[in-house]
Amino acid sequence: MIASIHQPAYIPWLGYFDKIARSDIHIFLDDAEYSKNNLFNRNKIKTSQGEMWLTVPVQYKSDAPINQIKIDNSVNWREKHWKAISINYARAPYFKKYSDSFKEIYSQDWEFLSDLTVEMNKNIAGLLGIKTKFVKSSDLNVEGRKNEKLINLCLAIGADSYLSGQGAKTYMDGELFLQKNIKVQYQEFQPFVYEQLWGKFIPNLSVIDFLFNCGGDALKNVV
């Protein structure tokens, strides 16, 4: 059984979901430490003027885990984000097909960032036709740091393979995994050009750009 593990992120890029799709179980690492200037609470969409950041405002606390970070709802971010998405993707071929699903999420009150991002990512995975099972690391109650934590999470769910991103090669200790009979695999996803609105192609945007322009079934052609 193949496991993948990643911090829950806000409307992340397509590669995030490619990794999930190649796994049997995906673990949301929601008890990892939150850090500023990451993609836990923000991502980019495409507009007629180019890239645009959508950022969920948070009440930052130093050294706090992601699942304890509260959203700053004194700012009307939900209306702002949904308006930006609606305006810039209304002409996209698949916007009408999927818009209600996103509108429902943006209509809800969210207190904690990870509750929003986990639910959003599970919803997007479903729209992309991904059948992977999901679990939160905070529900598994395992100890350890870095490689040890990843190994213990894999053991907790009975995984015998761990699918990692390419960037982890610099710090992954494959020997530690093998000692616990866990094989390490590396994701080989490569960004590709697809049809977009608004002129020249921009890579590495939020997955919603791909979803609204190409449709959920299109992921099957690249996974």
Side-chain angles (χ1 to χ4, degrees), residues 174-193:
E175 184 60 32
L176 288 178
F177 283 81
L178 288 176
Q179 290 174 9
K180 297 296 184 178
N181 296 314
I182 300 171
K183 179 183 178 181
V184 177
Q185 305 176 41
Y186 289 97
Q187 183 187 19
E188 297 181 356
F189 178 79
Q190 295 293 329
F192 57 92
V193 176

Side-chain angles (χ1 to χ4, degrees), residues 24-77:
D24 297 302
I25 297 183
H26 178 74
I27 300 174
F28 289 112
L29 194 61
D30 65 329
D31 53 1
E33 184 178 331
Y34 181 87
S35 60
K36 286 185 175 181
N37 303 318
N38 211 306
L39 298 177
F40 302 151
N41 69 320
R42 62 178 186 153
N43 224 299
K44 294 183 289 186
I45 63 170
K46 188 178 182 183
T47 77
S48 59
Q49 305 301 312
E51 299 176 359
M52 176 183 180
W53 282 101
L54 295 182
T55 302
V56 179
V58 299
Q59 300 172 13
Y60 175 69
K61 294 191 300 181
S62 179
D63 300 324
I66 296 169
N67 59 7
Q68 291 183 17
I69 297 297
K70 290 186 175 182
I71 295 173
D72 181 1
N73 283 307
S74 67
V75 181
N76 195 2
W77 64 273

Side-chain angles (χ1 to χ4, degrees), residues 5-223:
I5 304 171
H6 206 288
Q7 298 93 332
Y10 183 58
I11 51 174
W13 76 307
L14 185 60
Y16 185 103
F17 291 93
D18 173 82
K19 189 200 292 189
I20 293 175
R22 296 179 187 278
S23 312
D24 297 302
I25 297 183
H26 178 74
I27 300 174
F28 289 112
L29 194 61
D30 65 329
D31 53 1
E33 184 178 331
Y34 181 87
S35 60
K36 286 185 175 181
N37 303 318
N38 211 306
L39 298 177
F40 302 151
N41 69 320
R42 62 178 186 153
N43 224 299
K44 294 183 289 186
I45 63 170
K46 188 178 182 183
T47 77
S48 59
Q49 305 301 312
E51 299 176 359
M52 176 183 180
W53 282 101
L54 295 182
T55 302
V56 179
V58 299
Q59 300 172 13
Y60 175 69
K61 294 191 300 181
S62 179
D63 300 324
I66 296 169
N67 59 7
Q68 291 183 17
I69 297 297
K70 290 186 175 182
I71 295 173
D72 181 1
N73 283 307
S74 67
V75 181
N76 195 2
W77 64 273
R78 290 183 293 136
E79 181 178 341
K80 177 183 177 182
H81 287 203
W82 179 239
K83 183 176 181 180
I85 292 169
S86 299
I87 290 173
N88 290 291
Y89 290 102
R91 298 181 185 177
Y94 295 91
F95 179 75
K96 289 184 178 179
K97 181 175 181 178
Y98 302 118
S99 60
D100 285 348
S101 183
F102 286 92
K103 188 175 182 180
E104 170 65 21
I105 290 176
Y106 284 112
S107 69
Q108 299 178 45
D109 292 322
W110 300 96
E111 181 180 7
F112 290 93
L113 177 66
S114 65
D115 289 342
L116 165 68
T117 52
V118 166
E119 184 63 26
M120 181 77 82
N121 291 339
K122 288 167 67 175
N123 178 68
I124 293 172
L127 298 178
L128 291 168
I130 296 172
K131 306 299 184 183
T132 303
K133 295 180 180 179
F134 295 98
V135 65
K136 294 188 292 186
S137 58
S138 59
D139 290 336
L140 297 174
N141 195 30
V142 305
E143 302 295 330
R145 289 176 53 81
K146 298 184 178 179
N147 285 292
E148 184 184 8
K149 176 73 174 281
L150 299 178
I151 290 169
N152 289 338
L153 286 170
C154 288
L155 292 174
I157 61 171
D160 55 18
S161 293
Y162 171 59
L163 179 62
S164 173
Q166 288 285 339
K169 282 186 174 181
T170 57
Y171 62 83
M172 287 286 293
D173 188 340
E175 184 60 32
L176 288 178
F177 283 81
L178 288 176
Q179 290 174 9
K180 297 296 184 178
N181 296 314
I182 300 171
K183 179 183 178 181
V184 177
Q185 305 176 41
Y186 289 97
Q187 183 187 19
E188 297 181 356
F189 178 79
Q190 295 293 329
F192 57 92
V193 176
Y194 56 85
E195 291 293 327
Q196 284 180 338
L197 299 175
W198 315 119
K200 186 178 178 181
F201 181 80
I202 298 177
N204 302 328
L205 298 174
S206 164
V207 67
I208 66 173
D209 185 83
F210 174 82
L211 184 65
F212 289 143
N213 282 301
C214 302
D217 291 340
L219 184 64
K220 298 174 184 178
N221 298 323
V222 296
V223 172

